Amino acid sequence: MASEFKKKMFWRAVVAEFLAMSLFIFISIGSALGFNFPVVGNKTSTRSQDNVKVSLAFGLSIATMAQSVGHISGAHLNPAVTLGLLLSCQISILKAIMYIIAQCLGAVVATAILSGVTSSLPNNLLGLNSLSEGINAGQGLGIEIIATFQLVLCVLATTDRRRNDVSGSAPLAIGLSVALGHLLAIDYTGCGINPARSFGSALIANNFENHWIFWVGPIIGGASAALIYDFILAPRSSDLTDRVKVWTSGQVEEYDLEGDDMNSRVEMKPK
């Protein structure tokens, strides 16, 4: 871990996560708050929230940031995604911790800036995630688990370098998965699926009611997706020693896809 800590690329990746997370939060939550400022002159805006607009803003901003910094940090931009990639042995424990810290700091900074931009709004909760009327904690938790599960599963499958059948844009596919999760969950929980995003709003708005749901749900969903993908859907031929080596040093060895087709190989090298 000490050797990884000293590398410039390691710190570039952490800074990239912070910067991309800040932009993502500002754009996406800013889009959600924008309906409070209708443009009267052209009469194209109304005072009703548009779930499709918000979902696309979240999805397209993720896709844009993934295209922008994916080659530097991998563009996790979500502690649940970072956890999934950690369990999938694609990053070290140290990098995972630093990424999550950077993501949370980025979310807090962006939400604080948005608080200043939207200071004229009364009772401004800054995109705070909360349970809708009629939804209890267990139901909200289930929604968060399922929405995060499909996102992390998409990330793992789309970025799996053992595959040679993937066509199109991986960032766009992941962005559409984020949008899909929002289309599902906005009406139930406001759609967390990203603990850092939920934490930024909760901290700046000073409201942590049911906040645990937006950590526990994505963590369970992300971990479940990683374990199911790595051990059931597309098992890797790595043993415990290989996995511990990745977690401690960040060095990623060559993994083989279990099965009859021994030509399906990938060499995953550390950045």
Side-chain angles (χ1 to χ4, degrees):
M1 286 190 183
S3 61
E4 188 179 27
F5 195 78
K6 297 176 183 177
K7 293 180 180 178
K8 290 183 179 178
M9 282 302 299
F10 174 85
W11 290 107
R12 276 195 204 122
V14 172
V15 171
E17 282 292 302
F18 169 80
L19 178 61
M21 188 70 180
S22 299
L23 291 171
F24 160 60
I25 293 298
F26 187 87
I27 293 168
S28 55
I29 296 183
S31 173
L33 296 176
F35 81 99
N36 292 288
F37 299 96
V39 179
V40 178
N42 57 26
K43 299 182 180 179
T44 58
S45 300
T46 66
R47 290 188 179 273
S48 61
Q49 183 63 278
D50 186 343
N51 286 356
V52 175
K53 169 197 167 185
V54 174
S55 299
L56 286 176
F58 273 87
L60 292 176
S61 57
I62 280 288
T64 302
M65 291 302 105
Q67 191 70 52
S68 301
V69 303
H71 61 295
I72 302 171
S73 69
H76 297 187
L77 308 181
N78 186 336
V81 171
T82 298
L83 176 62
L85 292 173
L86 175 65
L87 294 178
S88 187
C89 285
Q90 299 190 43
I91 58 172
S92 68
I93 294 175
L94 175 62
K95 180 173 280 190
I97 292 172
M98 294 305 298
Y99 271 22
I100 292 172
I101 293 174
Q103 291 157 7
C104 290
L105 285 176
V108 169
V109 169
T111 308
I113 295 172
L114 268 174
S115 177
V117 172
T118 61
S119 59
S120 62
L121 292 179
N123 302 318
N124 185 8
L125 294 179
L126 298 166
L128 179 72
N129 289 121
S130 59
L131 300 179
S132 297
E133 186 176 353
I135 300 296
N136 61 38
Q139 293 166 335
L141 182 65
I143 290 290
E144 288 294 312
I145 290 173
I146 293 170
T148 309
F149 179 90
Q150 63 84 28
L151 168 60
V152 176
L153 185 65
C154 178
V155 171
L156 293 171
T158 304
T159 60
D160 190 340
R161 282 178 269 185
R162 295 169 298 174
R163 297 180 61 181
N164 54 19
D165 63 323
V166 178
S167 59
S169 169
L172 181 58
I174 295 168
L176 290 175
S177 180
V178 171
L180 179 63
H182 281 76
L183 288 171
L184 164 68
I186 281 180
D187 289 329
Y188 299 96
T189 64
C191 190
I193 71 172
N194 187 329
R197 166 262 190 273
S198 300
F199 175 73
S201 296
L203 182 66
I204 301 302
N206 193 27
N207 186 336
F208 288 90
E209 183 178 2
N210 292 317
H211 183 65
W212 65 272
I213 293 173
F214 304 102
W215 280 89
V216 175
I219 286 173
I220 294 175
S224 300
L227 295 176
I228 289 174
Y229 186 81
D230 260 21
F231 291 98
I232 298 177
L233 299 180
R236 301 179 189 273
S237 61
S238 57
D239 56 26
L240 182 59
T241 303
D242 294 328
R243 289 179 174 269
V244 171
K245 186 176 181 180
V246 174
W247 288 334
T248 56
S249 65
Q251 296 177 352
V252 184
E253 301 294 336
E254 184 176 64
Y255 290 152
D256 298 333
L257 189 65
E258 289 183 348
D260 295 331
D261 184 7
M262 297 307 294
N263 293 322
S264 298
R265 300 171 67 87
V266 64
E267 185 175 358
M268 298 189 296
K269 296 180 179 179
K271 296 181 178 180

